[in-house]
């Protein structure tokens, strides 16, 4: 409860502040609040994820503080919207990209998400990205668009490419988040409101997926393939959410991508719009694979069927032998 309240406090301070010191304070409160939630399972993987998250976020916060200090040194301004010095803009872009997990500062995000629980992973993929994106929105007129475009296209490419051979669902969703951040970043200078709409819709779809996975207790593709027996209707909703996140019409996720491509075309960036639209096909593959595993396929091994209906009561040995003989002899009959 304390960590959740601290997250709300830190987010509120960051998004409502005009001074760089207050924005930095809110980001630090957020970082310190999420660390107990990451390390809560008391598993070595969780402790490793918390350590990685702390080190990366501390380095990013240091860069951000150095950026605003440099800007104040040269311009005398501590206002967030008055970031004008080129070095400060470059340092700020690096700091916020590290906090968000944009390429090439993305290495920490899949590992931290894999070491966290699904609930904490949901916070990392959605709520923790809101304050940095807000700072991006406030400083967008001063940022270097060429650098942002390169990072956005690289994020869309790597987010789709690296997720192709993953079997861990949390890592797939981490690379999905990186890919969507590329879509948000590429349009942030021309239409910041569109970036905010894309982020809101992404949060809604990702929350639906994470909560469904938490209900069915699915962490890998193999466990997802047998989860349809628990709540079939929920798996149908999971399929729709995955396809929406992929951007297939007429689902909700198609709207922001269509608007972004339309805006890029209006700005005379047809080649950029074409490249990022083609790169989204990479992500479409693993979204379709997730939807296929969740709703269409059945596990080929009959032992997986028994696991879904087993109870906490001890199973009689004779019952086990009978079920085994029945499964074995049924095809022969």
């Amino acid at each position: 409860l304390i960590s959740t309240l601290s997250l709300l406090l830190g987010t509120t301070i960051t998004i409502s502040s005009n001074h760089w010191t207050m924005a930095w304070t809110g980001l630090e409160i957020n970082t310190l609040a999420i660390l107990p939630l990451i390390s809560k399972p008391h598993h070595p993987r969780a402790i490793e994820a918390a350590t990685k998250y702390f080190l990366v976020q501390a380095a990013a916060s240091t860069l951000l503080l150095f950026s605003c200090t440099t800007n104040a040194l040269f311009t005398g301004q501590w206002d967030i919207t008055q970031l004008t010095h080129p070095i400060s803009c470059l340092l700020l872009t690096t700091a916020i990209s590290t906090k968000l997990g944009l390429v090439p500062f993305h290495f920490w995000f899949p590992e931290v998400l894999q070491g966290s629980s699904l609930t904490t992973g949901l916070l990392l993929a959605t709520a923790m990205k809101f304050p940095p994106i807000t700072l991006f929105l406030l400083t967008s007129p001063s940022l270097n668009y060429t650098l942002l475009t390169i990072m956005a296209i690289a994020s869309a490419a790597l987010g789709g490419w690296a997720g192709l051979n993953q079997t861990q669902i949390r890592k797939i969703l981490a690379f999905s988040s990186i890919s969507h951040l590329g879509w948000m970043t590429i349009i942030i200078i021309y239409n910041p409101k569109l970036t905010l709409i894309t982020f809101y819709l992404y949060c809604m779809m990702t929350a639906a997926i994470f909560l469904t996975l938490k209900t069915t207790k699915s962490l890998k593709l193999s466990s997802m393939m047998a989860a349809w027996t628990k709540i079939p209707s929920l798996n149908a909703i999971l399929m729709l959410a995955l396809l929406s996140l992929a951007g297939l019409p007429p689902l909700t996720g198609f709207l922001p991508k269509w608007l972004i491509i339309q805006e890029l075309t209006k700005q005379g960036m047809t080649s950029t719009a074409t490249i990022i639209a083609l790169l989204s096909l990479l992500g479409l593959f693993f979204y379709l694979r997730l939807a296929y595993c969740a709703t269409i396929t059945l596990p080929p091994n009959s032992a997986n069927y028994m696991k879904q209906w087993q109870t906490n009561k001890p199973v009689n040995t004779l019952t086990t032998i009978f079920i085994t003989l029945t499964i074995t002899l049924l095809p022969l009959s």
Side-chain angles (χ1 to χ4, degrees), residues 72-328:
L73 178 66
F74 285 104
T75 65
Q77 293 289 336
W78 283 95
D79 194 280
I80 293 179
T81 57
Q82 300 298 321
L83 189 76
T84 55
H85 197 268
I87 296 178
S88 300
C89 293
L90 182 62
L91 289 173
L92 178 77
T93 304
T94 304
I96 300 299
S97 300
T98 305
K99 281 191 168 293
L100 288 174
L102 279 172
V103 175
F105 311 106
H106 67 283
F107 297 102
W108 63 272
F109 188 56
E111 299 298 325
V112 171
L113 206 64
Q114 178 63 25
S116 308
S117 63
L118 286 171
T119 307
T120 309
L122 173 60
L123 291 175
L124 287 171
T126 55
M128 295 300 295
K129 295 187 183 299
F130 187 45
I133 284 183
T134 305
L135 293 179
F136 251 167
L137 289 171
L138 293 173
T139 58
S140 57
S142 306
L143 300 180
N144 186 344
Y145 183 73
T146 304
L147 178 61
L148 285 179
T149 303
I150 293 173
M151 293 173 66
I153 292 177
S155 298
L158 186 133
W161 191 263
L164 292 178
N165 61 344
Q166 297 293 333
T167 57
Q168 298 288 336
I169 298 176
R170 283 172 292 184
K171 278 196 174 183
I172 293 176
L173 293 175
F175 288 116
S176 164
S177 177
I178 294 171
S179 177
H180 278 82
L181 282 172
W183 282 86
M184 298 175 206
T185 306
I186 202 166
I187 202 65
I188 195 167
I189 289 181
Y190 291 127
N191 197 338
K193 292 181 180 179
L194 188 51
T195 297
L196 212 52
I197 292 173
T198 307
F199 178 71
Y200 287 154
L201 293 178
Y202 162 77
C203 288
M204 289 174 57
M205 294 179 289
T206 304
I209 292 173
F210 268 99
L211 294 176
T212 303
L213 294 174
K214 180 177 174 59
T215 304
T216 58
K217 298 179 181 178
S218 302
L219 297 176
K220 297 185 293 184
L221 288 179
S222 56
S223 60
M224 179 184 275
M225 292 169 68
W228 69 273
T229 56
K230 297 179 180 179
I231 312 176
S233 58
L234 196 59
N235 264 39
I237 296 174
L238 175 62
M239 181 190 70
L240 291 175
L242 287 167
L243 296 180
S244 180
L245 205 59
L248 287 181
L251 300 172
T252 310
F254 172 70
L255 175 66
K257 293 187 176 181
W258 176 42
L259 292 175
I260 288 173
I261 291 174
Q262 188 179 31
E263 184 67 27
L264 288 174
T265 307
K266 286 180 181 178
Q267 300 294 336
M269 305 180 64
T270 310
S271 58
T272 306
T274 305
I275 291 172
I276 199 167
L278 291 175
L279 289 174
S280 68
L281 295 177
L282 292 171
L284 177 62
F285 175 80
F286 61 74
Y287 288 125
L288 288 175
R289 185 174 64 166
L290 281 172
Y292 184 80
C293 291
T295 56
I296 300 175
T297 60
L298 301 177
N301 187 4
S302 58
N304 287 333
Y305 291 110
M306 298 169 59
K307 290 179 181 177
Q308 298 305 313
W309 281 288
Q310 71 180 6
T311 62
N312 294 328
K313 298 179 182 179
V315 181
N316 194 348
T317 308
L318 293 177
T319 306
T320 307
I321 296 174
F322 176 77
I323 293 175
T324 306
L325 291 175
T326 304
I327 294 175
T328 307

